[in-house]
Amino acid sequence: RGVCCCGAVTLVLNYNIRLATTDKKVAAAAAKAVRTRSGGPPFVEALALEHKSGNYEVACNLLSPAQTPPSLVLEMVRAVASEAGVEVEEDYTIGFTATEVLQQLRDEGLIR
């Protein structure tokens, strides 16, 4: 006797935008602008984190990248940062994108 449970969630895209500033307030304002629960676009979780370089970044979980793409989030963060005279230093993803996951599954013969 026993129970087996299997579940799945949609792919979450971890997307970070590093700002050219050590001012946490700028990053926090940008994170608030894109965070869903703070009135930002749907399907975005975001917070301001200090990067190992000492600059701050807006770290995001895009829960539905098809509905709220990274380009929209980047545009919004760039606008908030620009108001404070700050530029975006770099934007990047952590882990695999949906396209990369599908390609890896094809390469391993798990899907066609």
Side-chain angles (χ1 to χ4, degrees), residues 2-80:
V3 175
C4 179
C5 183
C6 182
V9 296
T10 58
L11 181 71
V12 173
L13 182 62
N14 297 303
Y15 179 59
N16 296 337
I17 304 165
R18 190 166 56 245
L19 305 175
T21 186
T22 56
D23 186 348
K24 183 178 181 177
K25 290 180 183 179
V26 175
K32 183 177 181 180
V34 299
R35 187 183 309 120
T36 301
R37 70 177 186 180
S38 299
F43 308 109
V44 179
E45 299 172 338
L47 65 149
L49 295 177
E50 186 175 6
H51 187 265
K52 64 183 176 184
S53 67
N55 286 350
Y56 276 85
E57 65 185 12
V58 179
C60 303
N61 286 333
L62 304 185
L63 306 177
S64 181
Q67 292 183 302
T68 305
S71 58
L72 173 64
V73 176
L74 177 60
E75 179 182 316
M76 293 178 72
V77 168
R78 196 173 261 141
V80 172

